[in-house]
Structures are given as structure tokens and as C-alpha cells.
Amino acid sequence: MNLHTFARGLPGPDGPARPVAGRQFNALCELETLAGVTDRVAFWRRFHHLPPDCRVRRSQEALHRHVHERIAKGELAPDETPKERALRALKRATTAFIEPNDPTAQPLPDVLDALARSADAARDAGATALEIIDASEGLEH
């Protein structure tokens, strides 16, 4: 995550997040959700007094602590399930399809293949049709 995002306010919710508890995250908002953060502004405001170079590190350490506390209380499974992993891959493939680096380019065959493979993997991992539709932003497979 770029530290300069704090100069203008909160870090972007789509900024990258470090892995925690065997789970990989595409975006900071996913880690915040897993940690149970309900008031994003209040959470990030707690770290605004810190020097810019350690704000992200300290705040992500706090998010990790919250996740581990929720695991200890039994509110979360300790590891990401194959279904969660497959749905996350599908979401990544959908984002690459919907928001290509070059908006004028036609979808590349490998992007379409990744999308189809991810949908198949999610189906094989036990995801329901609604979960697949949600993860793929409503794209038909």
C-alpha cells in the first residue's frame, strides 16, 4: 500500500493487504471485514497520530490481532477453506475481465480461460450457484 494515501485521508479500501491466518486478501476491505471493522473511519483515525512510515504496518497489525481474536472465540475458521479460496480466485478473474489494464483491448483468451477455470474450481469446491454469481459480479459462465 502506498503510504501517501494517508496524507489525503484513509487508505483506499482496494489497497493490498498482507495475508493473515492462512488467508490471502485481494483488498484491504476484505481484511477489515474479516477483522469485524464496522466503522472504517474510526478504526483508521486511531493511527493518524503515528509517523507515516509506520501507520500501515501498525494498523494492519491491529487488524491481524482482531482476526486472531475472532478465530480464538470461534467466530472464524482458522484457515481459508478451498471454497473460499476458489471464490476469491473467481473474484480476481472477474476483476481482470471487467477492469482490464487497457479498456479498448478485446478480452484475451487467457483472461476468459482463467474466468472459466475459476468458476469451475468454485463449483467443484462446493460453491452454490448464487455464491458463484456473487463472486463473478453476475457474469454468466
Side-chain angles (χ1 to χ4, degrees), residues 22 31 38 43 46 51 58 73 83 92 108 114 128-129 138:
L31 178 56
T38 54
F43 174 81
R46 295 184 321 171
R58 292 285 296 281
K73 292 177 185 174
K83 182 169 101 174
R92 243 189 337 264
L108 299 172
T128 66

Side-chain angles (χ1 to χ4, degrees), residues 56-119:
V56 171
R57 181 176 52 77
R58 292 285 296 281
S59 57
Q60 286 210 10
E61 287 170 0
L63 287 171
H64 287 210
R65 254 191 325 279
H66 288 312
V67 170
H68 287 290
E69 287 169 9
R70 293 190 70 197
I71 289 171
K73 292 177 185 174
E75 296 173 9
L76 294 172
D79 291 317
E80 187 174 44
T81 66
K83 182 169 101 174
E84 288 175 326
R85 205 169 9 263
L87 288 172
R88 187 178 318 285
L90 177 57
K91 194 175 272 290
R92 243 189 337 264
T94 301
T95 301
F97 178 75
I98 293 176
E99 302 170 13
N101 292 336
D102 180 7
T104 61
Q106 292 293 324
L108 299 172
D110 57 333
V111 172
L112 295 173
D113 288 344
L115 189 59
R117 274 193 312 275
S118 298

Side-chain angles (χ1 to χ4, degrees), residues 3 6 46-59:
L3 293 173
F6 275 93
R46 295 184 321 171
F47 303 97
H48 198 66
H49 70 281
L50 297 170
D53 60 340
C54 73
R55 288 179 190 168
V56 171
R57 181 176 52 77
R58 292 285 296 281
S59 57

Side-chain angles (χ1 to χ4, degrees), residues 1 11-17 27-32 40 44 60 63:
M1 175 179 307
D14 55 346
L28 191 57
C29 61
E30 293 178 24
L31 178 56
E32 292 169 343
R40 186 167 205 274
W44 287 98
Q60 286 210 10
L63 287 171

